[in-house]
Amino acid sequence: MPRKVRETFLFVFTSVFIFFTFSLYLSRNTTTIINIIPLKQILTTHSSPNSAINVNRYLTVNSAIQEDQHEQHIIRQVITSPPPSSLYPFIKPDSILFPDWEILNVINHNGNDNHHLLLSDSDNKFLCLFDKNLTSPAIYAGILPFSNQSMFKCIFPNRLRRFLPYFSPILINNSSPETVLESQSLSSESSKEIMLRWKFLVYESLSTDTDVILFVKGVNNRQGINHSPSEFRCIFSNNNNNFVITEVISSYQEVFRCIKPEYNATLFRDIDQIKVSMEIRGGERVVPSVAYYTPPAPSLTDGNQKFLLCACTMVYNVAKFLREWVYYNSKIGVDKFILYDNGSDDNLDEVISKLREENYQVEKILWPWPKTQEAGFSHSATYANATCTWMMYVDVDEFMFSPSWLHPSSSSPMSIRSLLSSSSSHHNNQRRVGQISVKCYEFGPSNQRANRVEGVTQGYTCRRKIDSRHKSIVLLDGINTSLLNVIHHFELKQGYRNKKLSLDEMVINHYKYQAWSEFRLKFRRRVSAYVFDWKDGLNPNSKDRAPGLGFEPVEPKGWVHRFCDVHDNRLKMVITDWFGSSTGRMAWQLNETN
């Protein structure tokens, strides 16, 4: 064979071999980062607090399960990784990679409240330490209310984003990072843990008297397409080497209902925390989890009466709008406000504290999970059922009112409570009203360059002519056990019906398209699971997009005059009458903290 031909052949063979080897490596790592973890791998690797290493014991018990298909509660023996003995010199959290390269680090304290105090102390500064000894600031993000875990946020370094797989950081005290670097070698492969991905995760758990509700990302991914509950099972594991499996009985959106584990002295120990995850049958896959099982809260006694009407919304940096919204809705009959905080970093806590001092019932629930508005509302429908009879699902930029309030009379009280009372009874053998739907008017910038200090209802007075969508007031006892909802509208149980109100009876002013300085902030955060971000060039005809806006946060020409078909001052007049003063300041301004 001529020398030139041999060299060409050798070059081609070497190139093909290198390409095949690289493709195999890339394929292997791509499979890893989507977190579809085989159950055998979880049982044989040290990757998370619910990991185990005794695969033979699992296989033996699994065979017993196949022999007895009627057994719903099986106790299995596992070996879990122990919690860190102290917070120093480092902490190994469960790290979740969110969109935009943000990492949420969740720390399990195993019941040690002193750890909360230490971590939340503003004098303690922490860093996220990554592979190659890269770091980024770790910002304290609060405590998860249902699992009592502390959270820190940090940003994934640019230099590591092109290397797969993505490894979890550890948290270190910024005052003495050298101690950590000496005692903890991140270059050791055995010490690395692959980061959890937000696309596939059990992130919350909520218990009732009869079942356990799991909130799971990445299983039912398409709107209206839900997998059969028979395809899944729930796994309850403690930190004392035991776990129980139960059946899934409902699967809708990100909400899965599991049979509640029966009491077992081995599993339910006072010193143990019980992590809950979900197994996908067929491929023996387990969804990674940061959720923990907690027994249901005690029900109200007969001596305590429920609030007639509550309002629930998901919020992000709405502190400057909250007082106006709470004052107004309290006036029209709302007894309590439940805010699902989607990671605010403004002075929301300060504003809530002041409202509570003024005897307003405001509860904040930390809910850091992005694009989970439907799941959050499903959670609230169960969580608030013990304290609220009806729930109004509206946003902080939405105000419900009746045009009849412009001309008040004894037959049209300035409240929506009478509407709820009349809807609670049966008429002519009709099904009971379980949901009241109210249409919306969308208001535009109304020639405003910035929000009026008196409030959004005072500055935005020009709207689109046609109504758009609707929002709902829901009887919580009437919601279907699936908890299925489309943001502001729930599926009802049999025997309940939806009642639609006319625009003359009730309407919602939705101050959607505000001054550009306010509206552009919505580009970064879209909370619904099935709504594309406006910055993505997808689904341009969606009703959630501003018509003609485009896909970049750049002020369109003539923005201040857009969406203005009808000048509508009705709600402004009502609110000025109710809350105005001789100084020109509104009631929420007179009492706010300067």
Side-chain angles (χ1 to χ4, degrees), residues 13-14 24 70 167 234 255 262 288 434 467 546 550:
F13 176 82
T14 304
L24 182 62
H70 301 288
F167 291 112
C234 293
V255 181
E262 296 177 356
D467 59 271

PDB file of all heavy atoms in Angstrom, residues 13-14 24 70 167 234 255 262 288 434 467 546 550:
ATOM      1  N   PHE A  13      -9.234   6.655  10.214  1.00  0.00           N
ATOM      2  CA  PHE A  13      -9.557   5.733  11.295  1.00  0.00           C
ATOM      3  C   PHE A  13      -9.447   6.425  12.651  1.00  0.00           C
ATOM      4  O   PHE A  13     -10.324   6.276  13.514  1.00  0.00           O
ATOM      5  CB  PHE A  13      -8.615   4.532  11.242  1.00  0.00           C
ATOM      6  CG  PHE A  13      -8.804   3.570  12.385  1.00  0.00           C
ATOM      7  CD1 PHE A  13      -9.805   2.615  12.345  1.00  0.00           C
ATOM      8  CD2 PHE A  13      -8.002   3.641  13.524  1.00  0.00           C
ATOM      9  CE1 PHE A  13     -10.006   1.752  13.396  1.00  0.00           C
ATOM     10  CE2 PHE A  13      -8.197   2.778  14.572  1.00  0.00           C
ATOM     11  CZ  PHE A  13      -9.186   1.834  14.520  1.00  0.00           C
ATOM     12  N   THR A  14      -8.388   7.200  12.843  1.00  0.00           N
ATOM     13  CA  THR A  14      -8.199   7.911  14.120  1.00  0.00           C
ATOM     14  C   THR A  14      -9.304   8.931  14.345  1.00  0.00           C
ATOM     15  O   THR A  14      -9.839   9.075  15.453  1.00  0.00           O
ATOM     16  CB  THR A  14      -6.835   8.613  14.136  1.00  0.00           C
ATOM     17  OG1 THR A  14      -5.812   7.658  13.893  1.00  0.00           O
ATOM     18  CG2 THR A  14      -6.587   9.296  15.481  1.00  0.00           C
ATOM     19  N   LEU A  24     -19.935   9.122  22.587  1.00  0.00           N
ATOM     20  CA  LEU A  24     -20.368   8.256  23.683  1.00  0.00           C
ATOM     21  C   LEU A  24     -20.292   8.974  25.006  1.00  0.00           C
ATOM     22  O   LEU A  24     -21.200   8.899  25.844  1.00  0.00           O
ATOM     23  CB  LEU A  24     -19.488   7.002  23.702  1.00  0.00           C
ATOM     24  CG  LEU A  24     -19.839   5.941  24.769  1.00  0.00           C
ATOM     25  CD1 LEU A  24     -21.245   5.418  24.518  1.00  0.00           C
ATOM     26  CD2 LEU A  24     -18.825   4.812  24.740  1.00  0.00           C
ATOM     27  N   HIS A  70     -51.353  -7.199  45.980  1.00  0.00           N
ATOM     28  CA  HIS A  70     -52.375  -6.541  46.791  1.00  0.00           C
ATOM     29  C   HIS A  70     -51.775  -5.747  47.949  1.00  0.00           C
ATOM     30  O   HIS A  70     -52.498  -5.034  48.636  1.00  0.00           O
ATOM     31  CB  HIS A  70     -53.355  -7.585  47.335  1.00  0.00           C
ATOM     32  CG  HIS A  70     -54.042  -8.351  46.262  1.00  0.00           C
ATOM     33  ND1 HIS A  70     -55.019  -7.789  45.475  1.00  0.00           N
ATOM     34  CD2 HIS A  70     -53.884  -9.634  45.840  1.00  0.00           C
ATOM     35  CE1 HIS A  70     -55.452  -8.700  44.612  1.00  0.00           C
ATOM     36  NE2 HIS A  70     -54.784  -9.820  44.805  1.00  0.00           N
ATOM     37  N   PHE A 167     -22.009  19.947  38.422  1.00  0.00           N
ATOM     38  CA  PHE A 167     -21.866  19.443  39.780  1.00  0.00           C
ATOM     39  C   PHE A 167     -22.363  20.459  40.804  1.00  0.00           C
ATOM     40  O   PHE A 167     -22.247  21.677  40.611  1.00  0.00           O
ATOM     41  CB  PHE A 167     -20.409  19.090  40.072  1.00  0.00           C
ATOM     42  CG  PHE A 167     -19.922  17.903  39.302  1.00  0.00           C
ATOM     43  CD1 PHE A 167     -18.964  18.028  38.309  1.00  0.00           C
ATOM     44  CD2 PHE A 167     -20.439  16.637  39.558  1.00  0.00           C
ATOM     45  CE1 PHE A 167     -18.527  16.934  37.597  1.00  0.00           C
ATOM     46  CE2 PHE A 167     -20.008  15.530  38.851  1.00  0.00           C
ATOM     47  CZ  PHE A 167     -19.047  15.672  37.864  1.00  0.00           C
ATOM     48  N   CYS A 234     -45.472   6.334  45.277  1.00  0.00           N
ATOM     49  CA  CYS A 234     -44.817   7.289  46.158  1.00  0.00           C
ATOM     50  C   CYS A 234     -43.914   6.562  47.152  1.00  0.00           C
ATOM     51  O   CYS A 234     -44.271   5.494  47.664  1.00  0.00           O
ATOM     52  CB  CYS A 234     -45.846   8.126  46.915  1.00  0.00           C
ATOM     53  SG  CYS A 234     -46.786   9.221  45.838  1.00  0.00           S
ATOM     54  N   VAL A 255     -49.665  18.026  40.062  1.00  0.00           N
ATOM     55  CA  VAL A 255     -50.230  17.596  41.341  1.00  0.00           C
ATOM     56  C   VAL A 255     -50.507  16.094  41.309  1.00  0.00           C
ATOM     57  O   VAL A 255     -51.239  15.588  40.445  1.00  0.00           O
ATOM     58  CB  VAL A 255     -51.533  18.367  41.644  1.00  0.00           C
ATOM     59  CG1 VAL A 255     -52.103  17.933  42.984  1.00  0.00           C
ATOM     60  CG2 VAL A 255     -51.271  19.870  41.627  1.00  0.00           C
ATOM     61  N   GLU A 262     -49.624   4.344  56.299  1.00  0.00           N
ATOM     62  CA  GLU A 262     -50.168   3.993  57.597  1.00  0.00           C
ATOM     63  C   GLU A 262     -49.098   4.175  58.676  1.00  0.00           C
ATOM     64  O   GLU A 262     -47.902   4.088  58.407  1.00  0.00           O
ATOM     65  CB  GLU A 262     -50.663   2.541  57.584  1.00  0.00           C
ATOM     66  CG  GLU A 262     -51.810   2.300  56.617  1.00  0.00           C
ATOM     67  CD  GLU A 262     -52.211   0.847  56.574  1.00  0.00           C
ATOM     68  OE1 GLU A 262     -51.527   0.041  57.242  1.00  0.00           O
ATOM     69  OE2 GLU A 262     -53.183   0.521  55.879  1.00  0.00           O
ATOM     70  N   PRO A 288     -36.018  12.713  41.517  1.00  0.00           N
ATOM     71  CA  PRO A 288     -35.306  13.315  42.650  1.00  0.00           C
ATOM     72  C   PRO A 288     -36.238  14.215  43.458  1.00  0.00           C
ATOM     73  O   PRO A 288     -37.215  14.763  42.928  1.00  0.00           O
ATOM     74  CB  PRO A 288     -34.184  14.123  41.983  1.00  0.00           C
ATOM     75  CG  PRO A 288     -34.017  13.503  40.637  1.00  0.00           C
ATOM     76  CD  PRO A 288     -35.376  13.011  40.238  1.00  0.00           C
ATOM     77  N   GLY A 434     -70.467  26.612  42.789  1.00  0.00           N
ATOM     78  CA  GLY A 434     -69.152  26.345  43.356  1.00  0.00           C
ATOM     79  C   GLY A 434     -68.098  27.319  42.889  1.00  0.00           C
ATOM     80  O   GLY A 434     -66.983  27.344  43.430  1.00  0.00           O
ATOM     81  N   ASP A 467     -63.818  42.977  26.710  1.00  0.00           N
ATOM     82  CA  ASP A 467     -63.347  42.287  27.912  1.00  0.00           C
ATOM     83  C   ASP A 467     -62.436  41.130  27.514  1.00  0.00           C
ATOM     84  O   ASP A 467     -62.470  40.643  26.380  1.00  0.00           O
ATOM     85  CB  ASP A 467     -64.532  41.773  28.730  1.00  0.00           C
ATOM     86  CG  ASP A 467     -65.412  40.807  27.937  1.00  0.00           C
ATOM     87  OD1 ASP A 467     -66.347  41.275  27.255  1.00  0.00           O
ATOM     88  OD2 ASP A 467     -65.148  39.594  28.001  1.00  0.00           O
ATOM     89  N   ALA A 546     -48.431  41.083  25.183  1.00  0.00           N
ATOM     90  CA  ALA A 546     -48.936  42.402  24.819  1.00  0.00           C
ATOM     91  C   ALA A 546     -48.924  42.501  23.300  1.00  0.00           C
ATOM     92  O   ALA A 546     -47.875  42.314  22.682  1.00  0.00           O
ATOM     93  CB  ALA A 546     -48.058  43.491  25.420  1.00  0.00           C
ATOM     94  N   GLY A 550     -43.466  42.399  20.694  1.00  0.00           N
ATOM     95  CA  GLY A 550     -42.197  41.791  20.312  1.00  0.00           C
ATOM     96  C   GLY A 550     -41.643  40.934  21.428  1.00  0.00           C
ATOM     97  O   GLY A 550     -42.348  40.594  22.376  1.00  0.00           O
TER      98      GLY A 550
END
